[in-house]
Amino acid sequence: MASSETQALTDGFHLVIDALKLNDINTIYGVPGIPITDLGRIAQAEGMRVISFRHEQHAGNAASIAGYLTKKPGICLTVSAPGFLNGLTALANATTNCFPMILISGSSEREIVDLQQGDYEEMDQLAIAKPLCKAAFRILHAEDIGIAVARAIRAAVSGRPGGVYLDLPAKLFAQVMDAAEGQKSLVKVVDPAPRQLPAAESISRALDVLKTAERPLIILGKGAAYAQEDEIVRNFVEKSGVPYLPMSMAKGLLPDDHPLSAGAARSLVLKESDVVVMIGARLNWLLSHGKGKSWGAPKLKRFIQVDIEPREMDSNVEIAAPVVGDIGSCLSAMSVAMGDSWPSVPAEWTATIKQRKDVNLEKMSAKLLSNTVPMGFHSALGALRTIVKQRPDAILVNEGANTLDFARSIIDIYKPRKRLDVGTWGIMGIGMGAAIAAAIETGHPVLAVEGDSAFGFSGMEIETICRYDLPVCVVVFNNNGIYRGTDTNPTGGPDAAPTVFVKDARYDQMMAAFGGVGVYATTPDELTCAVNEAMDSGKPTLVNVVIDENSGTESGRIGNLNPQSVVSKK
Ligand code: ADP
Ligand code: TPW
Ligand code: MG
């Protein structure tokens, strides 16, 4: 028919891309292969940024960090079964951390999968993804792509953000429909993450509790950083005059050198506070579940909790004043209701905190100046602390055990969302994915401070960093192993102990192999020079920092979580 020959057509490939672009999603992180190779190619041809990784887990981690930094779902694109499974860890991790992302995986023929007849990369992906994310959808018809992408976006970013899975069977991509009909089927999501206003009575209840406090404390979590309501958060903290403790990724929401920061008096304020205001932070293991010795139990504490997720309340301890809503709406309502004559925090409390802070900071600054070779964690991190202070726009990525715990307390952060780390699970392997997403999404230089073990989980992605010529400086704290490099095989046999690596490995040469800059550093001065040069040039750089293999402790600061054998204890 003459009319159909001239009819403009579209297909599943183009509709997926058009649906994303219509919703201002312009970057895809992924790994190509059947059946999504052409999806990546066409996306690039259509002007999207397509960042191809060496392993899907890192593409997924990048997508989730892109989601955290932009409040738009990051997209991870994978092939079927094995690629999907590789991406799934990142999807589950995103959901656990409340980061919005969408894992889009190609899948095999439905009929063959459902009859388990052994298709190429056969797997019932939708069923497997479901318990590990906020929502999971499969699209069977091209005309449903618009609605499905809209639902995926809403599910990822509304309420408590999280991961969403979209299952795209191979057949969908080549399905053809009339181009105009196709355009009409697309949905531009209106107000994808609507404000959620707190009830007025929840605000007055919270302020009634706060008013009675003698030793109040605010805890800021990464939900508060995610919300991008930085001025409102700062105003609330300053107006209340309440000392605050930032959780690790909330560091910099207010600068770490802010007078109200109680970061350097953490154990004191947890123990001694009588009213605690949780803002976008959960009372999970990272806060000892809000009870026990570190909270000064059996003293009575009352909690106010500001969170968008109503079911978070009372998850670990009783919440005296739940304030359910988005951070911006809740904190501005609280600030307004506080009026102009809000009572100031008892001076005795602020003085006690200041005293403890001064003592602890003094102790730390002495350690940072140590000039021993090989370096310990303190001297190497002392150098990086100065660099970050001079370059507050740089984004710090951080993983490892000792390398994580020491860096968290030593390196001050001065601006919001400038610290990305292992998050709620304490997961190793987020490093290069997070660094790549941070560079791509913000254009700012990235400093990734990595334990040598931590780095190994995503180390191959330095090729990706070189390929896209990203301003990422990776600093590997090389202490020859997990926690330290000194374990030996108790049998005297030839196998190395399970926690140690090849001695004096040259991670810097890996970077050089891909055309980046590799530096071997043994002193704080060499480290400082190398990182400054990397940050000035923007060239992909890896600095292998030689750290004393004796200097770490088991599991960094969470060694107490290790079960102990009573039989084989040495
Ligand atoms: P941290 O690890 O820093 O303590 P968590 O990830 O445990 O932080 O907690 C983040 C909390 O923030 C989650 O309970 C989540 O529901 C909440 N949250 C995320 N975004 C918002 C928002 N825009 N408004 C209010 N709460 C939010
Ligand atoms: C996915 C367990 C926690 S910390 C760590 C491992 C393997 C590495 C610590 O060694 P590193 O740091 O990085 O050299 P340092 O400075 O102490 O020497 N698998 C996953 N996640 C976790 N958390 C682990 C294993 C772990
Ligand atoms: Mg190590």
Side-chain angles (χ1 to χ4, degrees):
M1 279 194 307
S3 66
S4 71
E5 273 166 33
T6 54
Q7 183 190 10
L9 297 175
T10 187
D11 61 16
F13 285 115
H14 288 86
L15 287 167
V16 170
I17 293 158
D18 291 347
L20 294 172
K21 283 174 64 180
L22 181 65
N23 286 287
D24 301 319
I25 295 174
N26 297 307
T27 306
I28 292 176
Y29 300 92
V31 177
I34 296 171
I36 49 91
T37 313
D38 273 350
L39 188 66
R41 288 198 184 110
I42 298 169
Q44 188 171 56
E46 299 283 329
M48 289 186 85
R49 194 110 200 249
V50 182
I51 308 296
S52 230
F53 281 67
R54 305 300 293 260
H55 188 290
E56 293 86 351
Q57 187 174 131
H58 313 307
N61 286 330
S64 76
I65 286 299
Y68 173 70
L69 291 173
T70 65
K71 299 187 84 178
K72 288 190 288 189
I75 305 295
C76 175
L77 179 63
T78 81
V79 303
S80 25
F84 157 78
L85 286 174
N86 284 345
L88 200 54
T89 304
L91 184 71
N93 185 56
T95 307
T96 299
N97 281 281
C98 317
F99 299 158
M101 74 172 273
I102 303 174
L103 175 66
I104 301 181
S105 296
S107 61
S108 309
E109 297 298 336
R110 281 280 10 114
E111 294 79 355
I112 304 179
V113 172
D114 287 348
L115 276 170
Q116 299 169 34
Q117 293 173 313
D119 201 2
Y120 168 72
E121 296 192 347
E122 172 182 302
M123 175 173 275
D124 188 358
Q125 296 167 197
L126 187 72
I128 291 166
K130 250 181 204 162
L132 298 170
C133 57
K134 264 185 91 178
F137 306 105
R138 176 183 293 131
I139 315 176
L140 291 176
H141 304 292
E143 60 266 32
D144 294 333
I145 288 172
I147 279 293
V149 169
R151 295 202 72 188
I153 292 171
R154 261 192 207 287
V157 298
S158 61
R160 170 182 280 177
V164 174
Y165 175 60
L166 260 190
D167 192 80
L168 308 190
K171 268 189 189 164
L172 176 78
F173 295 109
Q175 277 181 33
V176 170
M177 68 185 284
D178 175 76
E181 287 299 312
Q183 280 310 305
K184 264 193 265 166
S185 73
L186 301 181
V187 177
K188 180 156 173 69
V189 180
V190 176
D191 196 11
R195 286 199 163 279
Q196 298 196 15
L197 302 184
E201 63 269 23
S202 73
I203 299 294
S204 43
R205 192 187 297 120
L207 292 182
D208 285 347
V209 173
L210 186 58
K211 209 177 271 168
T212 64
E214 284 170 14
R215 297 176 306 282
L217 171 67
I218 288 171
I219 297 185
L220 299 173
K222 59 181 174 301
Y226 170 80
Q228 297 196 17
E229 302 281 14
D230 308 334
E231 276 313 302
I232 293 176
V233 173
R234 189 178 179 134
N235 284 342
F236 173 75
V237 173
E238 289 178 346
K239 184 165 187 182
S240 70
V242 173
Y244 72 93
L245 206 56
M247 298 302 287
S248 67
M249 282 177 61
K251 276 166 69 79
L253 191 42
L254 279 76
D256 274 337
D257 56 1
H258 192 285
L260 287 172
S261 169
R266 187 174 193 276
S267 42
L268 174 110
V269 292
L270 287 183
K271 262 203 190 84
E272 302 298 331
S273 53
D274 61 352
V275 170
V276 182
V277 190
M278 306 288 299
I279 302 176
R282 287 172 286 185
L283 285 167
N284 55 18
W285 71 279
L286 287 157
L287 285 168
S288 312
H289 305 280
K291 54 198 171 191
K293 234 171 61 192
S294 54
W295 285 89
K299 269 188 223 151
L300 184 71
K301 262 181 229 278
R302 284 187 301 160
F303 287 93
I304 299 164
Q305 184 158 25
V306 179
D307 204 291
I308 204 157
E309 172 56 67
R311 290 181 305 173
E312 186 56 37
M313 307 300 159
D314 305 322
S315 60
N316 285 270
V317 294
E318 181 185 308
I319 302 300
V323 181
V324 175
D326 68 276
I327 302 271
S329 302
C330 294
L331 294 190
S332 38
M334 283 170 79
S335 290
V336 169
M338 282 158 81
D340 294 327
S341 51
W342 186 253
S344 53
V345 171
E348 200 184 328
W349 177 231
T350 42
T352 311
I353 295 171
K354 179 161 188 326
Q355 206 174 19
R356 179 68 68 91
K357 266 175 72 173
D358 290 347
V359 170
N360 286 347
L361 290 174
E362 176 78 29
K363 266 194 228 158
M364 183 169 80
S365 65
K367 285 196 209 157
L368 297 183
L369 293 173
S370 146
N371 230 340
T372 52
V373 173
M375 284 182 274
F377 287 95
H378 281 88
S379 49
L381 286 166
L384 297 180
R385 170 186 162 94
T386 306
I387 292 172
V388 172
K389 185 166 190 172
Q390 291 160 348
R391 300 171 185 270
D393 283 319
I395 297 182
L396 182 75
V397 171
N398 190 200
E399 59 178 337
N402 293 279
T403 305
L404 176 86
D405 290 343
F406 284 117
R408 185 175 50 233
S409 57
I410 292 172
I411 300 181
D412 283 342
I413 305 288
Y414 301 90
K415 292 190 174 183
R417 296 170 296 284
K418 294 295 187 185
R419 190 189 147 87
L420 307 170
D421 66 25
V422 299
T424 303
W425 265 349
I427 193 172
M428 295 300 113
I430 49 89
M432 297 307 102
I436 290 167
I440 297 272
E441 300 291 337
T442 72
H444 289 300
V446 178
L447 176 64
V449 178
E450 303 269 315
D452 51 341
S453 165
F455 173 68
F457 286 75
S458 65
M460 193 64 200
E461 301 296 346
I462 58 176
E463 189 276 329
T464 310
I465 292 169
C466 289
R467 189 164 13 107
Y468 293 98
D469 194 23
L470 299 175
V472 175
C473 175
V474 183
V475 176
V476 175
F477 274 48
N478 190 352
N479 63 351
N480 295 338
I482 298 175
Y483 316 138
R484 47 204 289 141
T486 49
D487 272 12
T488 52
N489 182 338
T491 70
D495 285 353
T499 54
V500 305
F501 297 147
V502 165
K503 298 272 181 207
D504 307 315
R506 294 293 301 270
Y507 296 101
D508 49 313
Q509 294 179 358
M510 288 174 65
M511 189 57 119
F514 299 114
V517 179
V519 183
Y520 181 80
T522 57
T523 65
D525 284 349
E526 287 170 3
L527 172 58
T528 300
C529 260
V531 175
N532 275 325
E533 208 166 301
M535 301 249 129
D536 287 338
S537 71
K539 282 191 196 141
T541 301
L542 190 151
V543 189
N544 180 97
V545 184
V546 180
I547 299 287
D548 184 354
E549 65 173 8
N550 293 288
S551 65
T553 60
E554 181 89 3
S555 300
R557 291 210 187 136
I558 52 172
N560 59 309
L561 299 180
N562 282 308
Q564 299 282 331
S565 164
V566 284
V567 178
S568 62
K569 203 167 175 209
K570 278 199 285 182

